Amino acid sequence: MWRRIILSFLIVEKCLSISSPIQPFATYTYSTELISNVADLWWSIDKDEREITFEFHVNTTGWIALGISSAGGMKDADIGVGWIDNQGKLYFQDRYSFDFVRPVIDNTTNDWIPIKGKESNGWTAIQFKRLLDTCDSMDYPIKSGTNILIYAYGVSDPVNSEISYHQARRGTRIIPLRSYGQPPSEQKFNGLDYFDLRLTNYTIPSDDTTYHCKIYKTPATYSDKRHAIAYKVLVDDENVDIVHHLLIHECDPSFRFDDNNLPDGVCDDINDLIEPCASRVATGWAVGGDYIVEFPEEAGYPVGIHSPNKYFMVQMHYDNPKGTQNRRDNSGIRFYLGEKLRQHDLGYLTFGTVSNFFGIIIPPKLDQFIIDAYCPRAATKNIPESGITVVSAFPHTHLQGYSMWTKLIRNNTAVSYLFNADSYNFNYQFENRLAKRIKIFPGDEFATRCIYNTMNKDKVTLGGERTSEEMCLHFFTYYPRLDEDLSSCYRINSYESILRKINYSLPYNYAQIKQWLLDIKWTPESSKEWQTFVDTIPRSAAFAVGGQWKSEPLDPSATYKDLDPVICQKTIVTTTTATATNTLTSSLTSSTTTTTTTTTTTNTAVCCYQNIFHYIIYVLIFFKIN
């Protein structure tokens, strides 16, 4: 479910898990393998955060395409398409996709600018760039937070500049382009001390969902406080289809377990024993995340007998919908320890809702359902006047969630997004390194929003840990750590109001109320009306201050001054290279670098009739072909 704390800022020359045989044209900040031995991507963002440069390598000698999508599909996608002809010339097109048909040439402006390209050893490599926000109605902005990339390729060059259908040669990947935490090489930590927290030959139950919890003590060899500077997630290769996430919880530093009989079992079966470790989540890994994580140079995660963290709990989530039997698992986590202490201890902070039906009740068959949470200034009153620094964010919902954000509120005014996961996907969960670190001061408040889609559900979705249930949790990493004064801040709805609303009049029984909710027969009218109920229901904020949980009523009608709308200021990039028919851009040679001129303006371009005409033609062609 949770977190990938990827905080280092690295310059990448040749990254792990890159299969292209072609050396990149330049040195980039980020890189990732989209599909092993098929597609690799490099990118950098200029220092003014206005322009992004990509380099895309694909195992083909045909056309290749990379796009930015609003929802992960072809509809409303902004796409750059390129290829190298048999003379070594680079061709590149700016295209837009109205729907699941061949994308049309973007005739508003040409915003995807080719730089270099080549073919070698059966691969095609093209370097190109565009503005982060082009102000073009046929381009999708590359926002801070998460972005959805789509990519595809053909096996041959276009005929008459027209691309062929890609068939199954396509993919989608959610990635924070402006805040990706580039994983380092494990070799960087060779020779350092480390310790593992992992299971030993555990038999995975055949149940569809299992949460297994085990308590560990910090190794006695580390009597003094040490700083972990990185960690590696250890997931058995044969179990990657079942291990959904693992979490590391910090246990209450004042509690002492029986070191000869540490709790180990299914979490629900040992709830009372693991209660001292239930409230604080440190770190972890979730499906789609990176396996190696490095902390920022100025901060480390404190461990050791004389650190705040003497005991840990590892929670393993096994998602086994096929009921696979007799699997043995040794998954866990490895902490690499630095040779000396760093300036700051790292801490963790969580916003959102409680993960049960007191926080989340989402009716079925809704294309959008919104849950808002608010954290009041009382939760941050003990932050030092010098403030704390937030360095990363990890948004988390389950399958129904598709968007999430948290805003920093100061003096009843939104100052900025703490992080905006405008496009969220359960299968790609990253710890996002903030592009610019954010300071939090005493009295600051926070607004968190989670947005869900339940069109595929026939029954209500309740808050809970199962994959089929939902969460609304936004995790942040910060320093310096405040052990007793900052960890979590959750929304809790009035259970009396919920029971009255659902006409439940029996004695209080959590399991019985849950079943009552699951048995409700929802109508389109009652589903929509439930949004109004959730928006106006009495609620409280529960937060940890001074080592104690506190609660403060929240006013559902309270508002804050929101962020001003951003007016796009476009730097128009024009190219001096040849322009062919259909606004096709062709560079003179495979090594030609595009020369550009820039002009600053405010662009309010709209889709022109010519593009609508192209769209109609392509729809007709598509259905005729198919």
Side-chain angles (χ1 to χ4, degrees):
M1 144 172 108
W2 296 18
R3 23 178 78 216
R4 293 281 55 213
I5 306 172
I6 306 170
L7 307 171
S8 59
F9 185 80
L10 301 177
I11 300 298
V12 178
E13 293 184 357
K14 189 67 174 176
C15 177
L16 292 175
S17 301
I18 291 292
S19 45
S20 172
I22 301 176
Q23 185 69 20
F25 296 117
T27 297
Y28 296 92
T29 307
Y30 310 109
S31 68
T32 189
E33 183 180 61
L34 298 176
I35 304 179
S36 178
N37 201 39
V38 174
D40 299 323
L41 182 68
W42 291 259
W43 73 99
S44 291
I45 296 170
D46 69 0
K47 62 182 179 64
D48 296 321
E49 293 191 322
R50 293 183 60 82
E51 187 176 75
I52 186 168
T53 300
F54 291 105
E55 186 165 332
F56 191 32
H57 293 199
V58 181
N59 191 355
T60 185
T61 55
W63 61 267
I64 65 176
L66 182 74
I68 312 296
S69 170
S70 61
M74 290 286 289
K75 184 176 175 59
D76 297 326
D78 173 27
I79 304 169
V81 179
W83 65 94
I84 312 296
D85 71 8
N86 55 15
Q87 302 298 316
K89 291 183 179 180
L90 165 63
Y91 294 83
F92 208 81
Q93 300 172 330
D94 181 352
R95 286 181 174 261
Y96 179 82
S97 178
F98 285 92
D99 213 323
F100 294 93
V101 294
R102 183 184 290 123
V104 302
I105 298 293
D106 180 352
N107 283 320
T108 53
T109 56
N110 184 38
D111 294 306
W112 291 85
I113 308 301
I115 302 173
K116 293 181 180 180
K118 67 182 297 186
E119 285 183 356
S120 179
N121 297 318
W123 284 67
T124 296
I126 299 179
Q127 182 188 48
F128 49 96
K129 64 181 180 179
R130 57 153 274 189
L131 296 175
L132 296 175
D133 194 349
T134 67
C135 307
D136 186 343
S137 63
M138 297 180 72
D139 292 338
Y140 194 78
I142 298 174
K143 303 175 182 178
S144 293
T146 49
N147 312 105
I148 305 181
L149 296 180
I150 61 173
Y151 50 94
Y153 64 98
V155 295
S156 60
D157 291 344
V159 176
N160 297 324
S161 301
E162 197 54 81
I163 57 177
S164 57
Y165 181 51
H166 52 63
Q167 298 181 359
R169 297 179 293 270
R170 61 181 175 82
T172 301
R173 173 75 178 272
I174 286 207
I175 195 165
L177 289 171
R178 299 175 66 171
S179 55
Y180 182 55
Q182 186 69 49
S185 167
E186 189 179 3
Q187 295 177 350
K188 183 174 183 178
F189 312 113
N190 286 348
L192 293 180
D193 292 340
Y194 67 85
F195 66 92
D196 295 346
L197 307 176
R198 61 192 307 182
L199 299 176
T200 304
N201 211 26
Y202 173 66
T203 302
I204 301 174
S206 58
D207 298 337
D208 63 343
T209 296
T210 298
Y211 281 83
H212 185 92
C213 293
K214 184 175 181 178
I215 304 294
Y216 299 83
K217 185 178 182 180
T218 298
T221 50
Y222 307 123
S223 56
D224 296 328
K225 185 176 85 170
R226 300 284 299 272
H227 270 157
I229 64 171
Y231 67 81
K232 178 183 180 181
V233 175
L234 309 166
V235 177
D236 289 350
D237 291 341
E238 61 270 24
N239 294 325
V240 293
D241 60 326
I242 293 180
V243 176
H244 179 268
H245 78 254
L246 65 84
L247 299 179
I248 308 301
H249 289 249
E250 300 173 354
C251 300
D252 184 338
S254 65
F255 192 85
R256 292 293 179 271
F257 290 93
D258 177 358
D259 293 347
N260 297 316
N261 189 27
L262 293 173
D264 182 2
V266 174
C267 302
D268 287 345
D269 296 342
I270 58 173
N271 263 334
D272 293 342
L273 299 176
I274 62 177
E275 193 277 333
C277 311
S279 62
R280 291 194 177 199
V281 174
T283 188
W285 172 89
V287 60
D290 294 308
Y291 287 89
I292 298 179
V293 175
E294 186 175 17
F295 299 133
E297 292 184 355
E298 64 271 32
Y301 182 59
V303 298
I305 299 301
H306 293 291
S307 77
N309 302 314
K310 302 173 180 61
Y311 292 92
F312 298 92
M313 180 176 75
V314 175
Q315 180 198 75
M316 300 292 304
H317 175 196
Y318 297 100
D319 188 24
N320 190 8
K322 296 180 180 179
T324 304
Q325 299 182 357
N326 301 319
R327 290 274 193 96
R328 299 279 183 168
D329 189 49
N330 299 278
S331 297
I333 191 168
R334 171 173 296 169
F335 285 104
Y336 290 101
L337 304 181
E339 296 176 346
K340 60 181 180 179
L341 292 178
R342 293 181 167 182
Q343 182 180 0
H344 301 292
D345 288 352
L346 283 172
Y348 301 95
L349 171 61
T350 307
F351 300 117
T353 72
V354 292
S355 298
N356 54 38
F357 62 73
F358 297 132
I360 300 175
I361 301 174
I362 311 173
K365 302 301 180 183
L366 290 176
D367 59 0
Q368 178 176 282
F369 190 84
I370 297 172
I371 294 179
D372 286 318
Y374 201 83
C375 185
R377 59 174 53 90
T380 62
K381 66 179 182 180
N382 290 343
I383 290 178
E385 292 296 326
S386 57
I388 60 175
T389 301
V390 179
V391 293
S392 68
F394 185 90
H396 177 71
T397 74
H398 286 179
L399 295 170
Q400 311 309 134
Y402 70 86
S403 184
M404 184 178 190
W405 51 251
T406 293
K407 292 175 182 176
L408 169 61
I409 313 298
R410 186 172 293 154
N411 298 323
N412 207 40
T413 301
V415 175
S416 66
Y417 283 103
L418 207 55
F419 190 74
N420 182 13
D422 181 59
S423 299
Y424 171 85
N425 186 299
F426 180 69
N427 293 313
Y428 294 103
Q429 300 190 48
F430 289 94
E431 183 79 13
N432 300 270
R433 177 180 44 77
L434 301 188
K436 293 182 179 179
R437 296 176 179 181
I438 297 175
K439 294 281 285 188
I440 295 176
F441 297 99
D444 282 348
E445 299 178 301
F446 305 91
T448 296
R449 171 170 289 185
C450 293
I451 307 178
Y452 305 87
N453 180 301
T454 58
M455 292 300 292
N456 66 331
K457 300 290 287 287
D458 294 318
K459 288 189 174 184
V460 68
T461 301
L462 303 179
E465 291 190 325
R466 290 179 175 271
T467 305
S468 59
E469 296 174 322
E470 264 306 337
M471 290 185 168
C472 175
L473 296 171
H474 211 167
F475 308 106
F476 294 90
T477 308
Y478 72 93
Y479 66 79
R481 178 188 179 102
L482 305 176
D483 284 317
E484 300 297 325
D485 290 321
L486 197 66
S487 62
S488 306
C489 190
Y490 301 127
R491 166 178 167 162
I492 302 178
N493 294 322
S494 162
Y495 79 89
E496 295 95 342
S497 298
I498 293 174
L499 299 188
R500 284 196 301 269
K501 182 67 175 177
I502 65 174
N503 298 316
Y504 181 90
S505 57
L506 299 174
Y508 179 85
N509 180 294
Y510 183 87
Q512 193 172 34
I513 297 170
K514 182 176 181 179
Q515 189 59 50
W516 187 282
L517 285 163
L518 291 171
D519 290 340
I520 291 176
K521 304 300 182 184
W522 295 86
T523 66
E525 293 74 21
S526 64
S527 293
K528 292 179 180 178
E529 192 274 334
W530 193 262
Q531 180 73 75
T532 301
F533 173 69
V534 169
D535 291 343
T536 58
I537 186 175
R539 83 283 304 261
S540 300
F543 48 89
V545 173
Q548 301 293 323
W549 279 99
K550 298 184 181 296
S551 179
E552 180 173 298
L554 295 173
D555 182 358
S557 63
T559 59
Y560 57 86
K561 183 180 184 299
D562 208 347
L563 298 170
D564 292 330
V566 177
I567 299 175
C568 184
Q569 296 291 327
K570 177 181 178 181
T571 302
I572 300 176
V573 181
T574 58
T575 176
T576 59
T577 54
T579 301
T581 59
N582 292 331
T583 66
L584 171 68
T585 302
S586 168
S587 66
L588 299 179
T589 69
S590 62
S591 60
T592 298
T593 301
T594 302
T595 303
T596 63
T597 60
T598 60
T599 306
T600 302
T601 184
T602 300
N603 189 318
T604 57
V606 296
C607 178
C608 62
Y609 291 115
Q610 185 177 5
N611 287 317
I612 296 175
F613 175 75
H614 285 167
Y615 170 55
I616 295 171
I617 294 298
Y618 282 125
V619 170
L620 294 174
I621 293 173
F622 176 81
F623 284 108
K624 183 177 180 180
I625 292 174
N626 290 278

